[in-house]
Amino acid sequence: MLVNSLANESTSSLGTSEDDSMSESGRSMEAEMEAEMEELEAELDFDLDTGLPLDDLAVVNPSDDHAVGHPGRQAPSPTGTDSDAMSEGTDIDAILINTSAAYLNTMRDIHQRWNDHLTHISQSRYLQSVNREPPPPVDLMSKLHYYENCDVAQWHHCIRIPPDAFWEDVDAIKDHHIFQNNSNNRQMEVELQLAIHLYRAGRYGTGAVGSEIAYWAGVSLGTIYNCSRRCMIALLSLHDDAIVFRDEAQVEGAKACAEKKAGTETWRNGFLSADGTPIKLFTRPGWFGNDFYGKDKIYALQLTLVVFVHSLIIADYVVGKPGSAHDSTAFKDTRVFKHHDELLHPYEWIWADSAYTLAPWLITPFKKPRNGQLTREQRKFNYFLSKIRVAVEHAIGLLKIRWQSLKELRIHISDEVQWTNAVMWIRTCIILHNRAIRSGLKHNQDLTQERTWTEVLNQLGVHSSERPRFTPTEEEVTAEAMEGDGDDEVTPEGIQKRMYLLREILAAQQ
């Protein structure tokens, strides 16, 4: 070690003096030098340039004939007088002290430079510069503009509809009186209130908890509920513009789609498709709770839809029946069921599944007879019917995918007021569904194309395994035909109409 080497050299230079005072002076100076060098070694026990211990460096192991930093210095002759030895030893001690101080200062400078370098690395995390996108802003208005211009995927994740559709909805409701008040405290901007409501409508489960939504929007919990209430009232005022049964442009487009899928012009007049789906409730209602328990073993509200088969726009619906109600029972409350003579021409009909009653204006597939099998012709008829009727399944899937609150509605139906609130919520989602699709049609969005259908689901972040099937399989058609025990609920006119369509589809396939 450096301390031992310096101490030995100092001792040899002093010789074997018999003067006690000189020996004590030399020993005292050696002790001070050893203390300083030990302090240096405690701070710097390794070389910061090489990473090696100081013990392994030549600088800390000088030769016996040369002191550190002073090459050529000769060791004192052991034959000198005592006074010369004391004088020469004092000079050597002073040189060593100065050398040690310079060495200590140099090492401290190196140590500081390395500390600064390591601090810079730990703060920057990267040795090379990285081009990063600016972080998203904190306030909600800036978030909307940031998502729209810089992160469209996050926009769809939060708002659930394309930007064009969002701003069209804002323009449609911004002048509604619900957004006006006489208070000194102004309401939030309409676009912010609508964004909060859409974010809430697009969440279910723990993501739909009010505190989570309030944290995302940067507002209070009460503001979340007020924004949803105002937006539902404003959107319901657009109901009659959004839900139009005899939209002739939609009718013609749906008829062309049906003809293309069936391959025969005779089937083009079946341009609508009907089906029902349960809207699951997150908890058992406290108001006639058992009535809401349905065949799917969940507490739910029943929703029945009638949609155009090409665009998935909802033409008619009924909502509010408890989950225990059968699909065909709920369907009887639709407008088209009550007024089908007025709404449908004599040669037009609606496609439905085997849970509905066969009629001239409501065509259902063949059911598997008791203790029998369907014929090949009947299976073919069911297949082409399902190709057209699957549109309503797509509409239900898109409705629940876009507005995921309908997967598990977090409204506790404790009385009639809360039941009305739940019905308003579902109706609002239907209106938003239609308006979003109509906005897409302006940009030539064709949901009859599988590629477009996949793009829409990708925008909404739907995994491929969770997507509704675009075309029904033979197994699905067979399973649908096995529902029920035969044609128990039919009309003679309905049987005659279905047989006519069977003959036409068989002729077209020959």
Side-chain angles (χ1 to χ4, degrees), residues 172-468:
I173 66 174
K174 64 182 181 181
D175 295 328
H176 195 277
H177 65 84
I178 196 66
F179 298 112
Q180 311 297 326
N181 59 16
N182 296 322
S183 173
N184 292 328
N185 297 324
R186 291 184 55 199
Q187 291 188 23
M188 297 173 62
E189 290 83 352
V190 176
E191 52 265 37
L192 298 185
Q193 297 193 49
L194 181 59
I196 290 172
H197 177 66
L198 299 185
Y199 185 90
R200 187 182 176 196
R203 300 292 178 275
Y204 81 104
T206 56
V209 177
S211 57
E212 295 291 334
I213 300 170
Y215 178 80
W216 173 81
V219 297
S220 67
L221 189 60
T223 301
I224 296 296
Y225 299 136
N226 287 336
C227 290
S228 288
R229 179 182 60 84
R230 296 182 190 125
C231 288
M232 284 194 295
I233 293 173
L235 288 170
L236 286 172
S237 68
L238 307 177
H239 179 275
D240 293 344
D241 293 331
I243 311 296
V244 180
F245 190 88
R246 291 301 304 194
D247 185 337
E248 292 305 324
Q250 292 297 314
V251 170
E252 289 302 317
K255 286 184 176 182
C257 177
E259 179 182 352
K260 180 180 179 180
K261 288 187 175 182
T264 175
E265 186 179 359
T266 309
W267 279 44
R268 68 178 274 111
N269 291 321
F271 62 94
L272 296 169
S273 179
D275 199 6
T277 182
I279 304 298
K280 181 182 177 182
L281 302 173
F282 84 108
T283 187
R284 178 185 183 275
W287 186 63
F288 300 103
N290 292 337
D291 291 345
F292 291 88
Y293 193 77
K295 60 183 178 63
D296 297 320
K297 298 182 179 180
I298 58 174
Y299 294 98
L301 286 169
Q302 192 68 19
L303 171 63
T304 301
L305 301 179
V306 180
V307 306
F308 293 102
V309 297
H310 72 304
S311 64
L312 311 187
I313 289 179
I314 299 171
D316 194 12
Y317 71 94
V318 62
V319 62
K321 288 284 187 180
S324 59
H326 193 271
D327 287 350
S328 59
T329 303
F331 182 68
K332 293 178 181 179
D333 284 342
T334 59
R335 181 185 173 206
V336 67
F337 183 90
K338 296 177 179 178
H339 307 286
H340 58 85
D341 292 336
E342 302 173 7
L343 297 175
L344 295 173
H345 296 163
Y347 49 85
E348 294 176 340
W349 65 89
I350 301 173
W351 302 105
D353 64 21
S354 54
Y356 295 83
T357 301
L358 177 63
W361 59 274
L362 186 65
I363 303 301
T364 63
F366 288 98
K367 290 183 182 180
K368 182 180 177 181
R370 294 184 181 93
N371 302 322
Q373 298 293 331
L374 294 174
T375 65
R376 182 179 63 85
E377 293 77 10
Q378 289 173 336
R379 290 198 300 271
K380 181 171 289 189
F381 175 89
N382 287 356
Y383 173 73
F384 283 98
L385 185 151
S386 296
K387 281 186 67 176
I388 301 174
R389 195 197 66 81
V390 75
V392 70
E393 305 287 354
H394 291 166
I396 292 172
L398 183 58
L399 180 68
K400 290 187 176 183
I401 288 170
R402 175 166 275 146
W403 311 119
Q404 296 191 19
S405 59
L406 301 183
K407 291 184 177 181
E408 189 180 73
L409 193 58
R410 296 189 65 85
I411 297 178
H412 181 47
I413 302 178
S414 56
D415 50 31
E416 187 175 359
V417 173
Q418 292 303 318
W419 173 83
T420 303
N421 191 27
V423 171
M424 288 177 58
W425 184 281
I426 299 171
R427 293 178 66 198
T428 300
C429 291
I430 292 173
I431 293 170
L432 290 168
H433 168 89
N434 275 11
R435 291 185 60 85
I437 293 179
R438 291 183 188 277
S439 177
L441 291 175
K442 296 177 182 178
H443 299 86
N444 299 319
Q445 186 181 70
D446 185 5
L447 293 178
T448 62
Q449 301 294 324
E450 187 171 3
R451 180 179 58 83
T452 306
W453 172 250
T454 302
E455 289 177 355
V456 171
L457 296 184
N458 286 338
Q459 287 178 348
L460 297 174
V462 182
H463 191 269
S464 58
S465 62
E466 301 175 349
R467 295 172 185 168

Side-chain angles (χ1 to χ4, degrees), residues 115-127:
N115 272 343
D116 294 342
H117 185 57
L118 293 174
T119 300
H120 174 72
I121 292 176
S122 64
Q123 291 177 351
S124 63
R125 298 183 62 186
Y126 296 100
L127 295 179

